[in-house]
Amino acid sequence: MDTAAGQSLYPLHRCKTLHLVRHAQGFHNVEGEKNFEAYKSYDLFDANLTPLGWKQVDNLRQHVKASGLSKRIELVIVSPLLRTMQTAVGVFGGQPYTDGINVPPLMNDNVGDSGRPAISSLNAPPFIAVELCREHLGVHPCDKRRNITDYRHMFPAIDFSLIENDEDILWKPDIREKNEEVAARGLKFLEWLWTRKEKEIAVVTHSGFLFHSLSAFGNDCHPNVKNEICTHFANCELRSMVIIDRGMIGSDESSTNYPGKVPDGLDLPSDVADQKHPENGQAN
């Protein structure tokens, strides 16, 4: 039962820790701030990060390392767009790639005219591209992705196997996804997360996707907690949250629970013993 203070308990194995990240500043953010109609320009197709965006990536990477978070993350899930993948590999990737390391780089040299050296996958968690966590679909060319074939050349160590179509068949030039449709897709994405065995996961995605997906949560919390969950993310902002499986979606057993009483023996709780044998008085 929840206490009057609003506290509650939940089994650990029915929880996952999510480190949610909005991508760093892209060129579409700069142009859209000047004129909202710029979002409809094909000049901003699959916009990449600005130089300031890359500085934001570097700052977040330093924080992730200093906080110890980089050692705990088991999986990075990323929206398959240039700005999110650049952000993801820049923050959570391995050390700069050098010759002689026999692993594919997470990002090749100068992807998106970034001027950045290749980023190694050495000692980095797995990266998986997932379409369910893309931004609002349709109308805005900045939210249209390239062919997966192109991305595989840019980001060799990102796993694109969950994306069925090489071309972007989800984005429509004349139909913009409704907010409630984005929210429904977000809930479907969170349900999909329960099919993963990993318990601590980073998700690098988009402002609109995060806002509309998370707005479904926190209604039973203190208003300040609701605000922490649902407020729009700044560029390259990270928020860590715990999601719980109330509906038994996941099937994993606990890796830390221990059944006790092994081997079998007498272990009647003292309060139960008192009820059964009141003549014995208080148990020690």
Side-chain angles (χ1 to χ4, degrees), residues 99-216:
D99 293 337
I101 298 178
N102 190 26
V103 293
L106 279 164
M107 186 181 80
N108 277 319
D109 288 316
N110 198 35
V111 164
D113 296 322
S114 63
R116 288 271 169 151
I119 297 173
S120 171
S121 59
L122 188 67
N123 298 323
F127 283 65
I128 301 178
V130 177
E131 296 224 82
L132 279 173
C133 62
R134 283 178 61 178
E135 184 58 292
H136 266 92
L137 296 166
V139 179
H140 297 172
C142 57
D143 299 326
K144 178 176 172 59
R145 69 164 172 80
R146 300 164 197 254
N147 291 346
I148 297 301
T149 301
D150 296 334
Y151 285 147
R152 282 197 169 105
H153 291 298
M154 298 176 181
F155 303 96
I158 293 182
D159 182 354
F160 294 97
S161 63
L162 295 181
I163 299 177
E164 297 179 357
N165 297 284
D166 188 43
E167 295 183 2
D168 187 358
I169 64 171
L170 300 177
W171 186 91
K172 308 296 182 185
D174 54 349
I175 301 175
R176 184 75 168 164
E177 198 175 16
K178 296 178 181 177
N179 293 342
E180 54 268 29
E181 292 173 327
V182 177
R185 178 158 56 83
L187 295 179
K188 186 176 180 181
F189 170 74
L190 293 174
E191 288 185 3
W192 172 80
L193 281 180
W194 287 107
T195 69
R196 303 292 313 183
K197 67 181 186 300
E198 297 88 358
K199 295 297 185 181
E200 193 148 358
I201 301 172
V203 180
V204 183
T205 179
H206 307 267
S207 174
F209 175 81
L210 287 166
F211 178 77
H212 295 296
S213 299
L214 297 179
S215 290

Side-chain angles (χ1 to χ4, degrees), residues 10-18 77 187-199 201 217 242-252:
Y10 214 77
L12 178 63
H13 69 284
R14 302 198 183 280
C15 304
K16 288 184 188 292
T17 302
L18 304 181
I77 296 172
L187 295 179
K188 186 176 180 181
F189 170 74
L190 293 174
E191 288 185 3
W192 172 80
L193 281 180
W194 287 107
T195 69
R196 303 292 313 183
K197 67 181 186 300
E198 297 88 358
K199 295 297 185 181
I201 301 172
F217 298 91
V242 174
I243 183 169
I244 63 174
D245 179 13
R246 294 178 185 268
M248 299 287 286
I249 298 172
S251 59
D252 287 348

Side-chain angles (χ1 to χ4, degrees), residues 70-88:
S70 59
K71 297 180 180 179
R72 304 204 307 267
I73 289 174
E74 303 168 67
L75 175 69
V76 178
I77 296 172
V78 60
S79 163
L81 286 169
L82 192 54
R83 60 189 181 271
T84 39
M85 290 188 288
Q86 287 178 317
T87 301

Side-chain angles (χ1 to χ4, degrees), residues 273-282:
D274 288 343
Q275 295 170 17
K276 287 193 172 185
H277 306 285
E279 69 277 5
N280 292 336
Q282 295 293 322

Side-chain angles (χ1 to χ4, degrees), residues 218-257:
N219 295 320
D220 56 347
C221 299
H222 188 282
N224 288 350
V225 177
K226 171 74 173 179
N227 188 59
E228 284 186 50
I229 295 171
C230 303
T231 302
H232 278 286
F233 279 61
N235 281 126
C236 221
E237 180 178 358
L238 180 153
R239 293 182 209 163
S240 299
M241 302 187 187
V242 174
I243 183 169
I244 63 174
D245 179 13
R246 294 178 185 268
M248 299 287 286
I249 298 172
S251 59
D252 287 348
E253 295 183 357
S254 172
S255 61
T256 57
N257 288 0

